[in-house]
Amino acid sequence: MPNTNQLMEHVQRHVHAVNPFQSRPALSRRLLLTYRIITPLSLIISIVPTTYYTFARPKQGLYTRLSIWGQNREHPSPFALHPLLTCLYWLLLFLLQAGYLTTFYARDANTRTRAANRASYFVLHNVFVMAFVHLWTRGVLWLAQTVLIADFVNLATAYIRFPPQQLLSSSSSSSSSYSHLDDTDDDDVADGSPHFYPFPNHNGNHTSNNHHHHSSSSSSAPPSRSARTRARLLIHAAALAGPLAWSFVALFWCGAALLHADPAGGGPLFAHIAVWLWFVVGGAALAAQRDWVLGLALSGLSAGLGVQQVLLRKHAGQEEHEKERVLPLQVPFAFVIMGLLFVASVVVAGYDIVAGAKPEANGHLVVARGETREEAGETAPLLRDSRSEA
């Protein structure tokens, strides 16, 4: 009979093999092909109903059947969003997600692995978006809220599992570690890329000077640091930060509509406190993870909240029975949160961009705080030889 430990290891190995949420250091051709097929299909089933029900209303349903923004007008609340600004947010997000699909065809194996490790969460998010749109437009708000909660848990789990701090934080590892990262997943290995800046540095392509690490065995030069950074930025914004910001805001949007924004029972006080959770979440992401992408996303959605609240106040001035549903402090709160998150995000992003690549004298290029890389070519060994002779 087989040993119990061996049997358990065999079962565990097969469970991990079929677990779509398992983080893998490398991808098989079959698994990569699967992601290349499933991921765009999931995006399609998210885009089609979202686009259709933006302009049309469902033809079937037991409750009030309205378009996405028809339901928004039907349920004025302290968390109602402006249609145009929110649609622009989703348009940008869909464009980023279309770009995310291209990372599955990247020449760099690390980029493909990073994209695939987040794909299962991304696919599930798209399924939840499709379900939410169908339920929201048909007025099944309690079930729509349940779907949003499940989506938020899904995306928060992915965010915790793949924190942007791994992409932004300073690393003590040498920049020569590039050579062994060509065939491993750098989600789990520090690659000396502490900052999340989406612009190329002054050096363009970086060539590793680590000559004792199988340099002759590599069939092609590793991608430049700027190219790797842009890929990380695209994957993080499209698969994690953008969807997570929307899922978080939609919880308040749908929840307020579900509760009918009743001003009785401390409703205004709760709304005024709850809106500051947007700032708390965005500020925590900036302080703990330096995630200025999530900060900018929440800032944009806060702008949509503030503009819509201004319009609701104007409409309430004409409709006497709507005055009690409009909270005057919600407008300044929304714009203050928008401004604070925007300024803080720009400051963090600007600092990371400036600190990301700064040329210095003495034949060195500062790649990050405390990390230097000697210029490529024959200069580096000659400099080392001259130092040793001195």
Side-chain angles (χ1 to χ4, degrees):
M1 293 183 62
N3 187 300
T4 305
N5 292 333
Q6 294 178 347
L7 181 61
M8 292 300 297
E9 291 178 0
H10 178 77
V11 172
Q12 186 178 16
R13 184 167 58 251
H14 280 73
V15 169
H16 286 320
V18 299
N19 180 13
F21 299 97
Q22 175 71 15
S23 180
R24 294 172 173 83
L27 296 175
S28 65
R29 290 179 179 271
R30 179 179 299 178
L31 185 60
L32 181 60
L33 178 61
T34 302
Y35 282 128
R36 285 174 174 175
I37 295 174
I38 295 178
T39 309
L41 288 178
S42 72
L43 184 58
I44 291 174
I45 68 173
S46 172
I47 292 178
V48 170
T50 301
T51 305
Y52 177 78
Y53 288 121
T54 297
F55 306 100
R57 54 187 295 176
K59 297 179 181 179
Q60 296 178 344
L62 298 177
Y63 302 99
T64 305
R65 302 188 304 275
L66 297 170
S67 66
I68 293 176
W69 302 112
Q71 293 286 6
N72 189 63
R73 292 189 299 270
E74 182 72 11
H75 301 280
S77 73
F79 292 99
L81 300 173
H82 189 264
L84 178 59
L85 294 180
T86 310
C87 285
L88 290 176
Y89 177 90
W90 269 103
L91 177 60
L92 177 59
L93 183 58
F94 282 147
L95 291 175
L96 289 173
Q97 290 173 345
Y100 165 64
L101 299 181
T102 65
T103 60
F104 289 93
Y105 299 89
R107 186 176 60 178
D108 180 30
N110 293 328
T111 299
R112 296 195 303 268
T113 303
R114 174 181 284 107
N117 283 337
R118 291 152 179 79
S120 297
Y121 299 95
F122 179 73
V123 169
L124 188 56
H125 160 71
N126 287 329
V127 173
F128 283 140
V129 168
M130 177 194 66
F132 167 75
V133 169
H134 282 287
L135 293 170
W136 169 263
T137 55
R138 287 164 173 80
V140 192
L141 301 184
W142 65 272
L143 196 52
Q145 184 74 358
T146 304
V147 170
L148 287 175
I149 293 173
D151 188 29
F152 179 76
V153 171
N154 167 59
L155 293 171
T157 302
Y159 192 87
I160 294 172
R161 190 172 186 180
F162 305 107
Q165 182 68 26
Q166 290 179 320
L167 310 177
L168 309 175
S169 63
S170 297
S171 173
S172 59
S173 61
S174 171
S175 59
S176 63
S177 62
Y178 269 109
S179 58
H180 76 276
L181 285 173
D182 294 333
D183 53 2
T184 58
D185 182 17
D186 52 2
D187 282 330
D188 304 316
V189 183
D191 66 349
S193 304
H195 295 293
F196 206 14
Y197 52 94
F199 303 107
N201 55 34
H202 300 284
N203 197 31
N205 295 327
H206 301 295
T207 304
S208 174
N209 64 344
N210 188 18
H211 297 285
H212 62 277
H213 273 296
H214 66 291
S215 59
S216 60
S217 63
S218 178
S219 59
S220 61
S224 66
R225 180 179 297 270
S226 61
R228 294 166 65 92
T229 300
R230 286 193 297 268
R232 288 195 298 271
L233 172 61
L234 176 61
I235 293 172
H236 177 69
L240 288 182
L244 180 61
W246 163 254
S247 179
F248 176 74
V249 168
L251 285 173
F252 295 85
W253 181 41
C254 183
L258 178 62
L259 298 176
H260 304 291
D262 190 355
L269 178 61
F270 175 78
H272 289 329
I273 295 175
V275 72
W276 283 99
L277 291 177
W278 298 22
F279 174 75
V280 171
V281 171
L286 286 165
Q289 305 291 348
R290 303 185 64 82
D291 190 357
W292 50 269
V293 179
L294 183 61
L296 288 176
L298 287 173
S299 175
L301 292 170
S302 298
L305 173 65
V307 172
Q308 184 66 12
Q309 295 305 307
V310 170
L311 296 178
L312 287 179
R313 288 189 62 183
K314 182 179 179 181
H315 179 71
Q318 302 172 358
E319 302 289 341
E320 191 69 25
H321 65 280
E322 292 288 344
K323 284 186 176 181
E324 64 178 8
R325 291 185 180 273
V326 179
L327 307 181
L329 290 180
Q330 202 76 347
V331 174
F333 283 174
F335 285 122
V336 168
I337 292 170
M338 176 201 71
L340 291 175
L341 288 178
F342 180 79
V343 171
S345 300
V346 170
V347 169
V348 173
Y351 178 79
D352 283 353
I353 292 170
V354 172
K358 186 185 298 181
E360 281 194 354
N362 303 324
H364 286 74
L365 176 72
V366 174
V367 180
R369 294 192 303 270
E371 181 184 355
T372 62
R373 176 188 290 244
E374 293 181 350
E375 290 180 343
E378 295 296 328
T379 310
L382 291 177
L383 285 173
R384 287 197 296 270
D385 292 342
S386 64
R387 293 193 193 103
S388 61
E389 291 175 1

